[in-house]
C-alpha cells in the first residue's frame, strides 16, 4: 500500500487524508500544533464556540457542498452584515448606489461626479482597477484605506488579479447578480461546535493516523522524489519514509525546507476576542470597518451564528486586526465605543490570538514568485500541494476540499 505523508492537519490536510484513505492509501498526517483544524478550527470560551474570525460556508461547487453537508449537519443562515464607513452603515459589499444615497450630499455628489468621469488607466494594479471601475471618490473613501488596512501596502502595490477576485464591492451591474462569492444571500454554518465542526468531522475519519505536536523540519529527496520526512515530536527527532507527500503548510515554509526563499508574503492577523456583560452587541453576523483610522478589519458576534444553547446575558465578539498596533485590545475597544457597540465597563474578559499566515498577499510580483515556486515543487513528481497557503491562493474551506478532491482524482487517473 502506498505510504502518503501529509503535512498539516487543517482543512486541507484532513480533507486529503480522509479522501485518500477512502481510496486505500496508507496516510499519516503530521501536525505541529497539539490540535487539528488550523485556521478553520474552533475553540470553546465562556460557553461560546469561537472561530478564527468569522467563518461561514458559501460555495458554487455542488460536489464540495454535498460532501460538507453530508459530513456535518448545518443550518442555512440568511446573511446579516454591514460596513461602517464615514460614520454611516452601508451595504456589504459596497454598492456605489447605496453609498451615494446614504452619505451626506456634499460627499455623495463628489462620488457621483468622480463615478461619471472615471479614468481609463491601464489595468496593471488593484489601484487602477478600482479607479477605473468606481472613480477617485469611492477609491479614496473605501478602497485605499481598506486595502492598506488589509495588506499593509497601498493598492498600487497589489495585483489586479486580487482585485478581480476579491473586490469587496458589487458594481452597478452586479446589483442584479446576487450570487457571487462576495455577494451571497445565504450561507451554511454547522449546527453545533462552530465552523471547526467540519475539521472535527474530517479528523474523526483519520484520527488514528494523525500525529500531533509533530513539527516537520525537513525533507529527504532522491531522483526527483521526496523519500522521507524529518520531524520533531515530544523532544525527539524522527524520520518517516514515504512514497508520496501532500503538503498543506505555507509554500514559503516548504520552500525553505528545500533550500529556496520565495518572495511570497502572508499578512498576519491578530484576533481580539471580547466577552461582554450584555446579551448582544449587534444584530449582524459580521461588520466590516472601512475607515482607515480604525484598526479593525472585520468583527463578528458568535451568538448570531449559533442555533444551540449559548449564555443569554453575555456575548463574545471577535475583532480581526490586520493593522500593526502595540495595543490591539485598547484600539478595538476604542473603536467599539466610537461606533456605539459596547463600552469598556461592559468588558468581562479578553483573549488574543495571533496567526502569522492569515492572508496570502497578492502583491504585484506574486505571480512570478508563484511560478518559481511551482517549478521548484514540480521538479519532485511525488509532491502535491493542497490548500490556501500551500498553493498561495486566497481560497476557503470548500476550495481546499475541492483541491484535495482534484488530487485524489488525478492520482486515480495516474493509476488507471
Ligand atoms: C481571517 C480568516 C477568515 C476566513 N474566513 C473563511 C470563511 O468564512 N469560510 C471559509 O470556508 N474559509 C475561510 N477562511 C479560509 C480558511 O480558514 C482556510 O481556507 C483553511 O482553514 C485553510 O486550511 P489549510 O489546511 O489549507 O491551512 P491551515 O489551516 O493553515 O493548516 C495548516 C496546518 O499546518 C500546520 N503546520 C504548519 N507548519 C507545519 C510544520 N512545519 N509541520 C507540521 N505542521 C505544520 C499548521 O499548524 C496548521 O494546522 C478564512 C481564513 C482567515 C484567515
Amino acid at each position: 500500500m502506498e505510504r502518503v505523508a501529509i503535512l498539516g492537519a487543517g482543512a486541507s490536510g484532513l480533507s486529503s487524508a480522509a479522501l485518500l484513505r477512502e481510496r486505500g492509501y496508507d496516510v499519516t498526517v503530521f501536525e505541529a500544533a497539539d490540535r487539528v483544524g488550523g485556521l478553520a478550527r474552533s475553540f470553546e470560551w465562556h460557553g461560546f464556540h469561537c472561530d478564527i474570525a468569522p467563518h461561514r460556508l458559501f460555495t458554487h461547487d455542488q460536489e464540495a457542498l454535498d460532501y460538507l453537508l453530508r459530513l456535518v449537519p448545518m443550518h442555512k443562515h440568511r446573511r446579516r452584515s454591514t460596513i461602517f464607513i464615514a460614520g454611516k452603515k452601508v451595504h456589504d459589499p459596497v454598492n456605489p448606489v447605496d453609498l451615494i444615497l446614504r452619505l451626506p450630499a456634499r460627499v455623495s455628489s463628489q462620488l457621483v461626479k468622480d463615478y461619471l468621469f472615471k479614468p481609463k488607466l491601464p489595468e496593471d494594479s488593484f489601484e487602477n482597477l478600482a479607479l477605473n471601475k468606481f472613480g477617485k471618490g469611492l477609491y479614496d473613501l473605501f478602497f485605499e484605506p481598506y486595502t492598506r488596512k488589509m495588506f499593509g501596502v497601498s493598492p498600487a502595490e497589489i495585483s489586479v488579479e486580487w482585485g478581480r477576485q476579491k473586490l469587496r464591492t458589487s458594481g452597478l451591474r452586479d446589483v442584479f447578480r446576487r450570487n457571487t462569492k462576495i455577494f451571497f444571500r445565504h450561507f451554511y454554518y454547522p449546527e453545533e461546535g462552530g465552523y471547526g465542526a467540519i475539521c472535527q468531522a474530517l479528523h474523526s475519519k483519520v484520527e488514528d493516523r494523525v500525529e500531533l505536536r509533530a513539527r516537520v523540519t525537513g525533507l529527504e529527496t532522491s531522483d526527483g522524489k521526496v523519500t522521507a520526512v524529518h520531524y520533531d515530536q515530544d523532544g525527539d527527532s524522527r524520520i518517516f519514509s514515504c512514497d508520496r507527500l501532500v503538503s498543506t503548510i505555507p509554500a514559503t515554509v516548504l520552500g525553505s525546507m528545500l533550500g529556496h526563499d520565495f518572495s511570497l508574503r502572508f499578512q498576519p492577523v491578530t484576533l481580539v476576542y471580547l466577552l461582554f456583560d450584555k446579551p448582544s452587541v449587534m444584530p449582524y453576523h459580521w461588520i466590516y470597518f472601512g475607515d482607515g483610522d480604525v484598526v479593525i478589519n472585520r468583527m463578528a458576534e458568535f451568538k448570531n451564528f449559533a442555533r444551540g444553547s449559548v449564555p443569554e446575558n453575555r456575548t463574545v465578539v471577535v475583532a480581526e486586526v490586520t493593522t500593526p498596533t502595540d495595543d490591539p485590545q485598547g484600539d478595538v475597544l476604542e473603536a467599539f465605543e466610537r461606533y456605539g457597540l459596547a463600552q469598556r465597563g461592559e468588558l468581562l474578559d479578553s483573549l488574543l490570538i495571533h496567526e502569522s499566515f492569515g492572508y496570502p498577499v497578492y502583491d504585484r510580483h506574486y505571480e512570478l514568485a508563484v511560478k518559481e515556486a511551482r517549478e521548484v515543487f514540480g521538479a519532485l513528481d511525488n509532491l502535491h500541494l493542497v490548500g490556501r497557503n500551500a498553493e498561495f491562493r486566497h481560497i476557503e474551506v470548500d476550495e481546499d476540499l475541492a483541491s484535495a478532491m482534484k488530487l485524489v482524482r488525478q492520482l486515480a487517473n495516474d493509476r488507471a
Side-chain angles (χ1 to χ4, degrees), residues 174-230:
D174 298 340
V175 173
F176 305 100
R177 230 185 45 195
R178 297 272 161 183
N179 244 18
T180 68
K181 194 88 172 146
I182 300 292
F183 200 147
F184 51 91
R185 282 182 167 177
H186 295 94
F187 65 87
Y188 290 96
Y189 190 82
E191 285 176 13
E192 302 276 346
Y195 206 72
I198 295 175
C199 282
Q200 289 302 329
L202 289 166
H203 182 219
S204 68
K205 291 174 178 275
V206 288
E207 200 164 350
D208 54 320
R209 307 303 303 166
V210 178
E211 298 286 339
L212 295 177
R213 300 175 306 284
R215 177 171 294 281
V216 174
T217 54
L219 304 178
E220 276 178 34
T221 60
S222 167
D223 291 337
K225 286 188 191 308
V226 180
T227 51
V229 169
H230 289 223

Side-chain angles (χ1 to χ4, degrees), residues 162-179:
W162 183 79
R164 289 195 181 116
Q165 286 179 33
K166 295 283 170 182
L167 215 57
R168 287 219 59 76
T169 176
S170 47
L172 289 182
R173 267 177 301 131
D174 298 340
V175 173
F176 305 100
R177 230 185 45 195
R178 297 272 161 183
N179 244 18

Side-chain angles (χ1 to χ4, degrees), residues 129-186:
L129 176 76
L131 283 168
N132 284 354
K133 210 166 171 197
F134 299 105
K136 186 166 172 3
L138 201 52
Y139 174 80
D140 288 345
L141 181 76
F142 181 71
F143 293 105
E144 208 285 334
Y146 180 79
T147 310
R148 197 177 278 283
K149 190 189 288 190
M150 177 101 174
F151 292 128
V153 292
S154 149
E157 292 303 309
I158 296 295
S159 151
V160 67
E161 218 25 66
W162 183 79
R164 289 195 181 116
Q165 286 179 33
K166 295 283 170 182
L167 215 57
R168 287 219 59 76
T169 176
S170 47
L172 289 182
R173 267 177 301 131
D174 298 340
V175 173
F176 305 100
R177 230 185 45 195
R178 297 272 161 183
N179 244 18
T180 68
K181 194 88 172 146
I182 300 292
F183 200 147
F184 51 91
R185 282 182 167 177
H186 295 94

Side-chain angles (χ1 to χ4, degrees), residues 7-13 30-33 35 37-40 52-57 195 214-217 248-250 253 257 269 271 298 320 357-359 386-389 395-398 400:
L7 311 192
S12 305
F30 297 90
E31 169 55 55
R35 35 105 188 112
L39 292 168
I52 300 300
H55 266 71
R56 73 285 169 285
L57 173 65
Y195 206 72
R215 177 171 294 281
V216 174
T217 54
T248 73
I249 66 176
V253 177
M257 286 180 197
V269 51
L271 292 315
R298 183 170 47 163
E320 185 188 330
F357 296 95
Y359 293 92
V386 174
R388 178 176 173 112
N389 291 342
I395 56 174
E396 302 195 328
V397 165
D398 53 302
D400 298 320

